[in-house]
Amino acid sequence: MTASPVLGRDDGPVRILTVDRPDKLNALNRQTLEALDAAFAAAATDDGVRAVVLTGSGAKAFVAGADIAEMNALTAIQAREFSALGQRLMRRIERMPKPVIAMVNGYALGGGLELAMACHLRVAADTARLGQPEVNLGLIPGFGGTQRLLRLAGRAAALELCLLGTPVDAARALQLGLVNRVVPAAELEAETLALATQLAAAAPLALRGILDAVLLGGECGLEEALQFETAQFALLFASEDMREGTAAFLGKRKPQFRNR
């Protein structure tokens, strides 16, 4: 039986998923995309998981891109299916009901950057490099890179990274808004897990409401998005967690959220 290219372990309420193809710099082939999809589906429905951290094995790469050897043999029809598979995974991650943090420990190129951008937050080592180099292969990003770059960093940055195909360092990525934080490589895991633990302790229903309001609202017109926010806001008043949170604040104590 072939070992899974995605490893999973729990650190309390935090599920840590690791793409484990270090000999290929964690490149995304079909098997890896399918394994990631299954891993995120499982995390979404596991009540014991409150936050997810995604990273790559080894010191060199988060995910260095899609598997070029596999792509080189694809027909146009197969390439369309491969792109659709990748986009389904990215959409699943983006629409996770729990916060997902990309722990970018090295190269995040092509499909790797697309994978990181699908996560809700990104923490990068100061040694990381990020980019969309598909143009150098005679291709364009196929897992949502053009659109998420546009939405995260704006048109100028999206065109610069996609047209030139030149990776940027972590400091430049932070400046562009591609990552939320840059930390020394030696502190990356500790800093990322601390952030994930903080999120895992927050009110789960409120976190989900925020994710829905920001991500779905961002795809609507302003008026519709504001109405959606109001609906989410009001819905939380029916939750025990909202009553617990406000009572804890008034009682000057730490809230105990129960995801209900």
Side-chain angles (χ1 to χ4, degrees):
M1 183 175 175
T2 304
S4 173
V6 177
L7 306 178
R9 67 180 177 89
D10 291 341
D11 186 338
V14 178
R15 173 72 47 86
I16 303 168
L17 299 176
T18 304
V19 180
D20 187 37
R21 300 185 74 207
D23 57 322
K24 302 290 186 181
L25 295 180
N26 305 320
L28 299 174
N29 59 4
R30 176 176 289 275
Q31 182 191 11
T32 306
L33 293 172
E34 291 173 345
L36 280 168
D37 191 67
F40 274 100
T45 57
D46 189 331
D47 291 339
V49 176
R50 295 289 184 89
V52 179
V53 170
L54 175 63
T55 192
S57 64
K60 290 185 177 180
F62 171 72
V63 168
D67 192 317
I68 296 173
E70 185 175 89
M71 287 199 305
N72 185 55
L74 298 179
T75 66
I77 292 174
Q78 291 170 331
R80 183 180 181 89
E81 293 170 351
F82 186 61
S83 174
L85 174 62
Q87 289 204 13
R88 283 196 300 273
L89 168 63
M90 304 311 165
R91 194 61 169 161
R92 180 188 290 281
I93 295 171
E94 192 171 56
R95 294 297 303 123
M96 279 283 289
K98 305 165 185 183
V100 181
I101 306 172
M103 184 165 73
V104 185
N105 53 309
Y107 292 113
L109 305 175
L113 179 54
E114 290 169 307
L115 189 62
M117 290 192 294
C119 299
H120 304 128
L121 297 172
R122 287 154 296 283
V123 181
D126 55 3
T127 52
R129 293 183 67 79
L130 303 89
Q132 299 286 169
E134 289 88 348
V135 69
N136 298 319
L137 303 174
L139 287 170
I140 71 168
F143 294 163
T146 59
Q147 300 312 301
R148 289 192 178 89
L149 261 176
L150 177 65
R151 286 159 173 76
L152 274 175
R155 180 180 295 180
L159 289 173
E160 177 184 338
L161 267 69
C162 291
L163 290 176
L164 298 179
T166 305
V168 297
D169 62 20
R172 176 66 172 153
L174 181 64
Q175 186 181 53
L176 292 174
L178 288 181
V179 299
N180 298 91
R181 299 181 184 181
V182 174
V183 301
E187 300 172 18
L188 178 64
E189 184 171 357
E191 291 279 349
T192 306
L193 289 180
L195 180 60
T197 300
Q198 178 184 341
L199 288 168
L205 295 176
L207 291 177
R208 183 168 187 168
I210 290 167
L211 291 171
D212 284 345
V214 172
L215 294 167
L216 293 179
E219 297 173 1
C220 305
L222 179 59
E223 203 57 46
E224 185 181 359
L226 289 172
Q227 290 176 14
F228 184 71
E229 181 187 273
T230 291
Q232 292 289 306
F233 176 76
L235 185 62
L236 287 168
F237 276 73
S239 72
E240 292 180 19
D241 279 355
M242 177 269 172
R243 300 300 168 189
E244 165 64 11
T246 52
F249 177 83
L250 294 171
K252 298 181 179 180
R253 60 177 175 82
K254 187 176 181 179
Q256 299 296 317
F257 296 119
R258 300 179 184 276
N259 196 24
R260 61 191 186 200

